[in-house]
Amino acid sequence: PWAFAAFVEANTHDTAYRPPVVDGPVGPTIVRNGRELVNFASISFLDLERHIPLQRHFAEGARAHGLSTSGSRMTQGICRPHHVLEETIARHTGKERAISFATGLLANIGFVHAMSSAAHFDTGIEVRNRDTVFVVDRDVHWSIWKGLCLLYTS
């Protein structure tokens, strides 16, 4: 059994775990207190965030398109680079359409919602997924739990 109360108690005082503060970009290695360390938790396998031409391209894109979508794609649209990305993904995967999400959390919440909702688009065009059953274990990623928890509130 998981001793949740003991976990909470251990994390409610001044010596509770705090994330490490790093000096510089987080990737396959990090610099902490002047020491370069191997980062075994990184998901940046190719270390592209430190690649100077990619940084330059990213900065040019940010100047041209902004740093944020600033709202829903359905109400204010999608910027052309995201549209091109989604068309490219759809073409390479042989799918009719693709959609991109800013984070894995948003992708998983979107997936759970799409697979468990009902929508009426037009006469004879509807989706009914109300009978969807999700089977997960306690080790499923937190972002799936966040998507699923909203299903049980009503």
Side-chain angles (χ1 to χ4, degrees):
W2 187 43
F4 184 71
F7 172 79
V8 171
E9 174 62 28
N11 287 284
T12 56
H13 48 77
D14 288 342
T15 60
Y17 174 77
R18 303 278 190 261
V21 175
V22 297
D23 304 307
V26 175
T29 61
I30 60 171
V31 175
R32 184 169 183 212
N33 298 326
R35 291 181 56 209
E36 184 174 17
L37 304 168
V38 175
N39 180 8
F40 290 106
S42 176
I43 58 170
S44 177
F45 307 111
L46 301 177
D47 200 23
L48 293 176
E49 71 277 353
R50 297 187 215 196
H51 187 65
I52 300 300
L54 187 61
Q55 288 178 352
R56 195 171 298 119
H57 184 73
F58 184 84
E60 290 167 5
R63 276 192 293 278
H65 302 285
L67 293 175
S68 169
T69 58
S70 300
S72 166
R73 68 192 287 148
M74 296 308 289
T75 58
Q76 64 189 28
I78 179 173
C79 69
R80 184 145 326 271
H82 288 141
H83 181 71
V84 170
L85 171 68
E86 291 171 359
E87 285 183 333
T88 302
I89 291 170
R91 187 173 58 256
H92 284 298
T93 59
K95 303 298 179 188
E96 185 177 327
R97 296 266 192 271
I99 187 170
S100 60
F101 291 90
T103 68
L105 170 64
L106 294 175
N108 284 334
I109 289 173
F111 168 76
V112 167
H113 177 73
M115 295 307 296
S116 61
S117 64
H120 178 77
F121 300 102
D122 201 352
T123 305
I125 303 174
E126 58 186 37
V127 175
R128 292 183 187 176
N129 291 333
R130 289 287 184 199
D131 60 348
T132 301
V133 175
F134 291 93
V135 178
V136 297
D137 65 16
R138 67 180 181 182
D139 295 323
V140 73
H141 193 271
W142 173 86
S143 60
I144 294 287
W145 281 117
K146 287 307 287 180
L148 292 173
C149 74
L150 298 175
L151 296 178
Y152 300 104
T153 59
S154 55

